[in-house]
């Protein structure tokens, strides 16, 4: 392959005219480089620009500004049927008047493949998605999960350089969705095709992706591996959108090259040894972000730094974990405790009203700029 | 148990509706076998082999076709054959052209946003809601003004002179059929997801192939319903045809109207019966298509 990148979006803007006549940027200066063979996800809530970005790669929409490159070639106004990418649609978009065989064969027919070759490749594609023997049925005669597989087979039979998936699992129930997530990932690794996956489900993105672009308001908020976006969220939006976070408002008291001291007015206390990120200055207002599962909760005060006295206000037992809601000087935090006990013993759980100590270890916290 | 089943009102209403809808048709069909030359009273069926003397002493002549005498009479009537030929030629030609235009209009209205879109949509209803006679006179005025001008301007002589005829009738029929086709196809397109077309293009089909292989087959039931509706409308159109026809372009409704003004023989009834059968078959076909269509979409 010529280019290192399967798909590149260079400073792409897509503006729409709203029904009220206003101009709105659905995609606002997005730059992404998606490597060959990568499982890349665009993650965000509806209206964040992820589907519009995908549609511009597929060729259903054209950028207002900027350029989309596929295999290093600028796409300009190249129509979808001349791009070596294929799409799995959210609604599957199976042709209702054709059989499963005809649906999967359609793309090969368009290439002008010989009938024998079509037969062989359609058979292989249907085997791959475990739909052997279903080729004579009509789409309506299949279950949602099966239709989803047909849509996948129909796109993959063309052996595209890049497969675009627009929330393909959205219509399936939870259990089937989890199965399909692993199946899709396995399929992608086996075929070595670049997958660009659009989803609003953060767990789905974390499960499958090599890299994730977290999007909001038409902009990429952060791009990185699942570990990076979870462990080192770039801003408050990402920290809040992926997983859960407690945010404590504070102000930087002192700052050096590697650590900072932050005063938290709500707790009327200082947090010391906070990790420093780029561009933070003394006196700046920041959020101290800490994940619920990373707050250490104890019954006794063990250390004398970054520890706060708090009171349990509520507990929610959800099996594998217990959510403990605490309040320290009016600041509310959520703490997650794993269920490590071997037998149900009510005494081993925290109870409402109990006095506890919260430890905010510096290695578990992040300082995020206030926007 | 259906609570309406025994309500006398429902039964009365049913009898009332069916009587007024179908009794005239049944009587009309019955009279097509009438032995009498006039359409006033029913005087029994025509015998097939020998003359019959009625109670009042009058003679009923036998016919080789028996009770179907008037149908044979009809079959030998060249004027009727010509009118039927005209009617079908006009109906088929106009249906094909109106279906193409109407379908294209429906697709354009569904797909694109343009400045005059609300006006275009509204203008579809105008030919449907305005009285047919107004439209007929309007079209006639248009044609005669235009033909007068063209004949004058190009000093056309003899056969080259533009005049009312089968072409003007066909064009007028297309004009009133297009809105019907468009509205029927539009209704069908309402649930048409553009992702089907995107999927086809994504798989390598260009615009034309996408239309031919995906869009058209998917909207075909709607297109056929629209076409059949237009066809039946054309078959029995009287008012607009009345204003726009000319020598040699008499259609069946116009022909029947002409007969009524002279003598009413059961031949008219025979003609009407055949006609009812044709239209009824077309409507039945339409119904079957529509029910199959709705089953596919449920």
């Amino acid at each position: 392959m010529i280019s290192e990148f399967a798909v590149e979006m260079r400073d792409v803007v897509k503006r729409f005219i709203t029904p009220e006549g206003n101009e709105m940027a659905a995609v606002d200066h997005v730059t992404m480089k998606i490597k060959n063979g990568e499982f890349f996800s665009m993650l965000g809530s509806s209206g964040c620009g992820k589907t519009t970005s995908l549609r511009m790669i597929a060729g259903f929409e054209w950028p207002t500004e900027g350029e989309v490159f596929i295999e290093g070639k600028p796409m300009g106004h190249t129509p979808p049927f001349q791009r070596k990418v294929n799409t799995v649609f959210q609604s599957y978009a199976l042709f209702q008047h054709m059989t499963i065989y005809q649906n999967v064969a359609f793309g090969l027919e368009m290439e002008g493949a010989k009938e024998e070759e079509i037969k062989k490749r359609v058979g292989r594609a249907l085997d791959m998605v475990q739909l052997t023997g279903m080729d004579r049925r009509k789409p309506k005669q299949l279950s949602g999960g099966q239709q989803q597989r047909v849509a996948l087979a129909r796109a993959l039979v063309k052996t595209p350089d890049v497969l675009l998936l627009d929330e393909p699992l959205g219509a399936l129930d939870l259990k089937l969705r989890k199965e399909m997530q692993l199946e899709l990932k396995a399929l992608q690794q086996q075929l070595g095709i670049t997958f660009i996956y659009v989803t609003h489900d953060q767990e789905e993105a974390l499960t499958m992706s090599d890299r994730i672009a977290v999007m909001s308001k038409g902009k990429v908020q952060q791009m990185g591996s699942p570990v990076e976006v979870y462990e080192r969220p770039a801003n408050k939006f990402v920290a809040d959108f992926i997983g859960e976070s407690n945010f404590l408002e504070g102000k930087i008291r002192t700052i050096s090259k590697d650590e900072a001291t932050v005063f938290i007015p709500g707790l009327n206390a200082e947090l010391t040894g906070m990790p420093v990120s780029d561009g933070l200055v003394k006196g700046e207002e920041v959020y101290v972000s800490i994940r619920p599962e990373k707050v250490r909760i104890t019954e006794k005060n063990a250390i004398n730094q970054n520890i706060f006295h708090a009171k349990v206000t509520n507990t929610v037992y959800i099996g594998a974990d217990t959510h403990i809601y605490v309040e320290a000087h009016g600041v509310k935090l959520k703490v997650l405790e794993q269920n490590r006990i071997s037998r149900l013993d009510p005494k081993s759980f925290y109870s409402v009203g109990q006095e506890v100590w919260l430890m905010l270890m510096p290695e578990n916290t992040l300082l995020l700029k206030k926007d | 148990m259906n609570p309406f089943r025994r309500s006398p009102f429902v039964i009365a209403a049913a009898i009332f509706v069916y009587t007024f809808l179908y009794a005239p048709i049944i009587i009309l069909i019955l009279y097509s076998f009438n032995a009498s030359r006039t359409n006033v009273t029913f005087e029994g069926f025509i015998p097939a082999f020998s003359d019959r003397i009625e109670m009042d002493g009058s003679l009923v002549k036998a016919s080789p076709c028996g009770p179907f005498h008037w149908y044979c009479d009809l079959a030998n009537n060249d004027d009727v054959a010509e009118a039927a030929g005209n009617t079908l030629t006009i109906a088929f030609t106009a249906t094909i052209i109106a279906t193409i235009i109407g379908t294209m209009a429906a697709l354009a209205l569904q797909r694109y946003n343009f400045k005059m879109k609300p006006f275009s949509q509204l203008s579809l209803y105008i030919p449907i809601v305005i009285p047919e006679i107004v439209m007929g006179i309007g079209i006639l005025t248009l044609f005669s003004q235009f033909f007068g001008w063209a004949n004058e301007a190009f000093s056309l002589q003899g056969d080259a002179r533009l005049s009312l005829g089968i072409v003007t009738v066909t064009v007028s029929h297309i004009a009133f059929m297009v809105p019907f086709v468009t509205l029927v196809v539009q209704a069908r397109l309402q649930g048409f997801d553009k992702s089907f077309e995107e999927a086809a293009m994504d798989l390598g089909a260009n615009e034309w192939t996408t239309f031919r292989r995906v869009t058209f087959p998917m909207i075909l039931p709607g297109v056929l319903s629209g076409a059949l509706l237009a066809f039946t409308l054309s078959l029995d159109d009287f008012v607009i045809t009345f204003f726009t026809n000319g020598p040699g372009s008499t259609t069946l409704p116009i022909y029947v109207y002409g007969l009524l003004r002279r003598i009413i023989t059961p031949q008219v009834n025979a003609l009407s019966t055949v006609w009812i059968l044709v239209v009824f078959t077309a409507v039945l076909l339409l119904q079957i298509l529509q029910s199959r269509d709705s089953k596919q979409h449920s």
Side-chain angles (χ1 to χ4, degrees), chain A residues 337-360:
Chain A
E337 274 278 282
Q338 239 182 32
N339 186 353
R340 290 206 190 80
I341 49 168
S342 53
R343 277 201 179 64
L344 191 65
D345 172 13
K347 279 184 204 147
S348 69
F349 291 93
Y350 292 97
S351 51
V352 175
Q354 192 178 348
E355 310 256 315
V356 291
W357 293 90
L358 302 177
M359 281 187 273
L360 308 182

Side-chain angles (χ1 to χ4, degrees), chain A residues 144-156:
Chain A
Q146 288 171 324
Q147 290 185 32
Q148 209 282 319
R149 286 159 194 268
V150 176
L152 197 61
R154 188 175 69 174
L156 283 175

Side-chain angles (χ1 to χ4, degrees), chain A residues 55 58 60 80-81 85-87 89 91 93-98 106-107 109-110 140 154-155 158, chain B residues 193-207 209-210 213-214 217-218 296-298:
Chain A
R55 291 172 59 80
F60 304 136
F81 48 87
V85 297
N86 289 113
T87 309
F89 290 84
S91 60
L94 299 179
F95 307 136
Q96 306 296 331
H97 59 292
M98 298 185 194
F106 187 85
E109 254 180 78
M110 293 302 122
K140 280 273 156 72
R154 188 175 69 174
K158 304 249 313 173
Chain B
D193 189 347
K194 73 173 183 226
S195 68
F196 291 117
E197 289 177 332
E198 287 178 350
M201 290 210 206
D202 189 70
L203 293 166
N206 60 26
E207 290 91 342
T209 312
T210 299
R213 294 286 307 273
V214 175
M218 290 186 86
Q296 254 176 28
H297 281 263
S298 57

Side-chain angles (χ1 to χ4, degrees), chain B residues 107-114 117:
Chain B
L107 282 168
L109 283 169
Q110 186 235 5
R111 216 163 280 200
Y112 305 112
N113 272 315
F114 46 94
K117 188 171 173 172

